[in-house]
Amino acid sequence: MHPAKAFHVDDRETLLAFFAAHPFVTIAAAVGGRPFTARTPVVIRELAFGEVALDFHLSRGNALAPYVVQGFRAVALATGPDAYVSPDWYGSEDQVPTWNYVSTEAEGLVAPLSEAEFVALLDDVSAQEEARLSPKPPWTRDKMSAGRFEAMRRGIIGCRLGVERLEGTWKLSQNKGAADRAGVVAALGNHPIAGLIKTHNA
């Protein structure tokens, strides 16, 4: 995460909503003496006592998969829109190029899902993403041939990241004056970052 406090976001509901809106995340971990990443969709789980987890799946051929049973620490990174910011857009002199962006990190221990949790994950991630395609009738595994779901499931492994740290970076020109921010918004036009700068700095 960006070290500057001006860009730091720690509101739990805001950050979980960001994961819900950007569920295709990067899982990053260092195991067996090497760094690895994987890309996968997550489903947010609200657990007992206010705990939260991110459930996801990996191909059994993924380099991280053999380590899931023993467990490992990882970071899940969700990213939103980003934009390069030219110094020419500011009214102030002697500025440097930068990048505005929004992202959220969840850190914790990754462990395997039970069989029931794994099946629920696969159904839930499909339902989650099919809902975004409305009014298309949702796809469900009931449309698959008998035995096909079970055969496909053997090629993947279900995982849960128990969230211990949750924080975000909303780098949206908060460290600039109103005139400089207005210059960035005008230059970016309809870019999503322009809208975020306006709403976040209102």
Side-chain angles (χ1 to χ4, degrees), residues 6 95 115 127 140 152 171 200:
Q95 301 289 323
E115 189 65 18
T140 68
M152 296 292 290
K171 189 173 181 294
H200 197 75

Side-chain angles (χ1 to χ4, degrees), residues 127-138:
Q128 171 180 283
E129 299 310 312
E130 287 287 326
R132 301 181 201 274
L133 304 179
S134 179
K136 181 188 90 64

Side-chain angles (χ1 to χ4, degrees), residues 1-8 98-99 101 103 105 167-171 175:
M1 296 275 80
H2 199 290
K5 289 295 185 183
F7 310 135
H8 188 76
T98 190
W99 215 278
Y101 62 95
S103 66
E105 287 184 7
E167 58 184 319
T169 296
W170 265 235
K171 189 173 181 294
N175 58 332

Side-chain angles (χ1 to χ4, degrees), residues 41-89:
V42 296
V43 172
I44 300 167
R45 300 298 194 199
E46 301 272 357
L47 307 176
F49 308 109
E51 295 182 354
V52 177
L54 301 178
D55 287 359
F56 62 96
H57 70 276
L58 296 173
S59 164
R60 288 194 178 274
N62 188 286
L64 283 170
Y67 300 96
V68 172
V69 172
Q70 69 190 51
F72 58 86
R73 296 195 65 78
V75 173
L77 173 66
T79 58
D82 64 87
Y84 170 78
V85 177
S86 171
D88 291 334
W89 299 343

